[in-house]
Amino acid sequence: MTQGAGQGPVVRTATLRDFRVPPYAQVPVQSQSLSHEYVLTHPEDLARPDAAVRPEDLARPEDEVPHAMSAAPAHPGNVLPDDEPPEGYTPTERDLPVINRGDTLQVTVAPVEAPATAQDCLGPLFVVGDVHGYLDELVAALAEQGLIDPEGHWSAGNTRLWFLGDFTDRGPDGIGVIDLVMRLSAEAAAAGGYCKALMGNHELLLIGAKRFGDKPVNSGAGTATFQAAWLLNGGQKSDMDRLQDVHLQWMARLDAVVEEDGHLLMHSDTTAYLDYGTTLEDVNDNVHEILNRNDADECWDLFRKFTKRFAFRDEDGPQAVRKLLATYGGERVVHGHSPIPYLLGEVGTEDAGDGEEASRPVVEGPHVYADGLAIAMDGGVTMAGKMLVARLPLPG
């Protein structure tokens, strides 16, 4: 309450936020109104609007100043000795109201907006299926969704983009695909979004072919080599020639499985991820540790398990999906790896020419199956299908 004319002395009390009041603030605040004794001896001051002490009164010799005035020392909270703040004094967070001649200066404090949380700043979520070196088709699909501009640079602001793995092999420019994804990752981060990628079985295959070459490994069905498996699965010499350490390091650090907005994202439609841990962190850490140990047999076993497919396709598929979701979280699995034409039982050829339109698989978009619990994102671009880039959740 503002102290004004004619009101009696007020004692300063601590606010709810003042848990401890410094000693210098514990002295009662003396009212600037005239005391009762002074009014009796100076009735003419009652006509003054503010009933305040006159300058000439303050200038009177000490023995002429009324006792009530001389007995009121300056409040320690209102004065600073030698122009220095008392020990322990700290300024308040906001300026207190200024009292002047009974009028209070009202200070309006604008409410402080709560800082935006990370969740508030998240943009839309997109996923990309298997690319397999088809750089031109990837650029066209990203541009169609408005994720990159005509020059191929990130134009989607805080959008989140996930690639589901398999960047190389079979197509003409796998290294060009990796370079694009790496560049978009930096550009998206600078714009407030992100572009990330998962590890596919072909990343494991390319890493193994580069590290181990023709070194024999125990394949479980005899002797094999990463080099021979890479060539049999569409390995391109031009990719190997252009492969650099930065590409290998980037691929080796990719996660195997993540959860975004209730979608469990992984490359392969297999339950083999359960062999590497019961949490997402455990799976990704164990995969990275295997690659870091650089043991050819261990890497081959990892590659072999991530090459398994069709775990969600048949009548036991929904149960397999539910087991993954119960373990890692999420409401739907989103995967690549198995081309949609294979899941639908269609037959396509990887070398279909312009005159063979009848043999081209018809892929309109992502394939939802396994009681609606799984979404397949490999559009079969290697068999003249479609490069799929889709926003999640899917409409309808």
Side-chain angles (χ1 to χ4, degrees):
M1 180 174 179
T2 302
Q3 179 69 31
Q7 296 175 352
V10 175
V11 176
R12 184 189 305 273
T13 58
T15 64
L16 290 178
R17 292 192 302 168
D18 295 331
F19 299 105
R20 293 184 299 172
V21 181
Y24 62 80
Q26 296 176 4
V27 181
V29 177
Q30 299 298 323
S31 169
Q32 289 186 351
S33 301
L34 300 180
S35 69
H36 177 69
E37 293 84 354
Y38 186 78
V39 170
L40 291 177
T41 57
H42 296 80
E44 68 278 7
D45 284 340
L46 290 175
R48 293 173 57 187
D50 57 356
V53 179
R54 296 172 300 178
E56 56 268 30
D57 293 329
L58 297 177
R60 292 169 59 184
E62 183 176 353
D63 58 350
E64 298 181 14
V65 178
H67 176 73
M69 294 180 62
S70 60
H75 189 277
N78 295 335
V79 295
L80 302 179
D82 301 325
D83 296 327
E84 292 294 332
E87 182 179 357
Y89 171 79
T90 56
T92 58
E93 185 175 359
R94 299 190 179 107
D95 291 335
L96 294 175
V98 178
I99 301 175
N100 183 21
R101 297 178 60 84
D103 298 324
T104 300
L105 175 62
Q106 300 297 328
V107 180
T108 302
V109 180
V112 179
E113 294 184 4
T117 64
Q119 188 68 29
D120 295 333
C121 297
L122 296 179
L125 173 64
F126 285 80
V127 290
V128 184
D130 299 34
V131 182
H132 282 300
Y134 285 87
L135 179 60
D136 291 343
E137 287 80 355
L138 173 62
V139 169
L142 293 175
E144 183 179 358
Q145 293 286 353
L147 300 174
I148 61 174
D149 61 24
E151 286 72 42
H153 295 288
W154 182 262
S155 62
N158 66 346
T159 294
R160 297 167 291 159
L161 179 63
W162 274 99
F163 285 82
L164 299 181
D166 277 11
F167 302 103
T168 67
D169 305 336
R170 298 200 175 102
D173 194 359
I175 300 302
V177 170
I178 293 177
D179 285 336
L180 173 64
V181 176
M182 292 174 65
R183 176 170 58 79
L184 290 179
S185 296
E187 294 177 354
Y194 58 74
C195 170
K196 298 183 180 182
L198 294 179
M199 182 179 296
N201 62 304
H202 280 263
E203 279 68 65
L204 294 170
L205 187 56
L206 183 57
I207 292 171
K210 181 66 174 181
R211 287 183 180 178
F212 308 116
D214 289 325
K215 180 179 180 178
V217 294
N218 184 5
S219 68
T223 301
T225 69
F226 271 104
Q227 178 72 14
W230 174 68
L231 291 172
L232 287 173
N233 284 276
Q236 302 294 304
K237 184 178 183 301
S238 58
D239 284 345
M240 186 63 75
D241 292 341
R242 297 164 56 201
L243 185 63
Q244 301 177 24
D245 287 343
V246 65
H247 301 128
L248 288 169
Q249 294 167 3
W250 180 80
M251 288 188 292
R253 289 195 296 263
L254 297 178
D255 283 339
V257 56
V258 297
E259 188 270 333
E260 286 272 5
D261 295 354
H263 298 88
L264 188 62
L265 309 181
M266 58 181 60
H267 173 71
S268 304
D269 47 329
T270 178
T271 58
Y273 295 91
L274 296 168
D275 295 343
Y276 296 95
T278 56
T279 68
L280 299 176
E281 293 77 11
D282 287 346
V283 174
N284 294 324
D285 288 346
N286 287 330
V287 169
H288 295 153
E289 288 176 6
I290 290 172
L291 292 175
N292 288 335
R293 283 195 292 268
N294 211 31
D295 180 277
D297 287 328
E298 269 194 310
C299 289
W300 179 268
D301 190 57
L302 181 64
F303 159 70
R304 179 181 62 83
K305 289 181 178 179
F306 278 19
T307 303
K308 294 180 179 180
R309 64 175 83 242
F310 299 146
F312 316 143
R313 185 181 63 174
D314 299 324
E315 61 181 15
D316 294 332
Q319 181 179 352
V321 177
R322 289 189 179 95
K323 187 174 182 180
L324 286 168
L325 296 176
T327 302
Y328 302 127
E331 300 172 1
R332 265 183 171 180
V333 164
V334 182
H335 69 86
H337 189 49
S338 292
I340 291 173
Y342 288 170
L343 292 171
L344 296 176
E346 298 176 356
V347 177
T349 59
E350 296 186 12
D351 57 353
D354 293 338
E356 300 177 78
E357 294 295 330
S359 65
R360 293 178 182 270
V362 177
V363 177
E364 299 295 339
H367 175 51
V368 181
Y369 67 115
D371 289 350
L373 297 174
I375 301 175
M377 284 294 302
D378 184 350
V381 66
T382 61
M383 55 184 68
K386 186 175 184 179
M387 179 73 64
L388 291 183
V389 179
R391 179 173 178 174
L392 298 178
L394 297 178

